[in-house]
Amino acid sequence: MKKSHLAILAVFAAAALSLSACAQAPDASTGSSASSSTSAAGNDNSNSGEFKACMVSDSAGFNDKSFNETSLQGLNKAASDLGVKTAKVESKDDKDYATNLQSMVDAKCSIVVSVGFLLEKPTVAIARANPNVKFAIVDDNPANPPENLKPLVFNTAQSSFEAGY
């Protein structure tokens, strides 16, 4: 009898873990922090039509079946769903990173997203040289990043926990 109670408890626990991932996303209209953080960097582009999101891939390119490809999908979704202007540069070689990042700054991007840890040094350097432009870097967390650079690091332990459980 105890084993059947334990089995029922395990089923409910698994269901609770599975259903906890089904929560509704917060309403975007109530979040005022995004617009205030945009203006804090000197780029007050509260109208999505004026906002320009730009991306630089690492040398693997946008068809790498990994971070570059999924990041590009996010950029394309922002363009289609939110109406933001976009630009992208696919790096062919590691030597292209600084030039490609600077080209996005020169293109008057509101935010420049670099994809991959290989772009850490050039992204930090360009972000420091351009404090009025927002930057983000996927899959990297630089030590002492400038104020205008946000790391986008995924906590793989969170998704792996439930799968492993």
Side-chain angles (χ1 to χ4, degrees), residues 112-135:
V112 179
V113 179
S114 57
V115 184
F117 65 90
L118 295 173
L119 283 93
E120 178 181 332
K121 287 181 182 177
T123 302
V124 169
I126 298 289
R128 284 201 170 109
N130 298 280
N132 291 330
V133 179
K134 289 182 166 270
F135 289 85

Side-chain angles (χ1 to χ4, degrees), residues 49-100:
E50 297 173 15
F51 188 85
K52 187 173 185 180
C54 302
M55 185 171 291
V56 177
S57 77
D58 69 10
S59 56
F62 286 121
N63 293 319
D64 67 347
K65 308 287 185 226
S66 189
F67 288 111
N68 287 293
E69 189 169 331
T70 55
S71 296
L72 180 61
Q73 289 172 358
L75 183 70
N76 292 337
K77 188 164 175 61
S80 65
D81 292 0
L82 303 174
V84 299
K85 296 177 186 175
T86 63
K88 66 181 188 259
V89 179
E90 187 170 35
S91 301
K92 300 297 182 196
D93 190 77
D94 292 355
K95 297 173 193 164
D96 297 337
Y97 299 151
T99 304
N100 290 344

Side-chain angles (χ1 to χ4, degrees), residues 2-3 8 13 23 32 34-35 44 52 56 63 65 89 104 106 118 146 150 159:
K2 285 186 180 185
K3 286 186 179 184
I8 292 171
S32 61
S35 62
D44 189 10
K52 187 173 185 180
V56 177
N63 293 319
K65 308 287 185 226
V89 179
M104 295 292 93
D106 295 342
L118 295 173
K150 299 297 178 199
S159 61

Side-chain angles (χ1 to χ4, degrees), residues 18-30:
S18 297
L19 293 174
S20 68
C22 297
Q24 183 176 357
D27 184 13
S29 64
T30 60

